[in-house]
Amino acid sequence: MVVDGRKSGVSEGVVLTDMARLMTGVGCVDVLNLDGGGSSVFCMGPEMTILNTPSDSGGERSVISMVGFAKK
């Protein structure tokens, strides 16, 4: 899950306690917080389409970590 922020009146973001409530609300039991801020990007599909609006530039930023899921 990615929650956009840093854009007053558009996307305010959340604090970790709010994120915990969101995650338990969708049924998660164990959660790992990887990052926050402008480098948080949610991509999906074969073309890796960006589905959120990162706060830095509205696009991808070079980062050293990612989590990926693939269908067998």
Side-chain angles (χ1 to χ4, degrees), residues 9-51:
V10 177
S11 56
E12 303 294 332
V14 295
V15 295
L16 287 179
T17 52
D18 292 335
M19 188 62 154
R21 283 190 205 96
L22 284 170
M23 298 305 287
T24 57
V26 296
C28 294
V29 176
D30 296 311
V31 177
L32 174 65
N33 180 38
L34 293 175
D35 192 8
S39 63
S40 298
V41 177
F42 189 91
C43 301
M44 193 168 157
E47 301 298 321
M48 297 303 290
T49 303
I50 298 175
L51 299 178

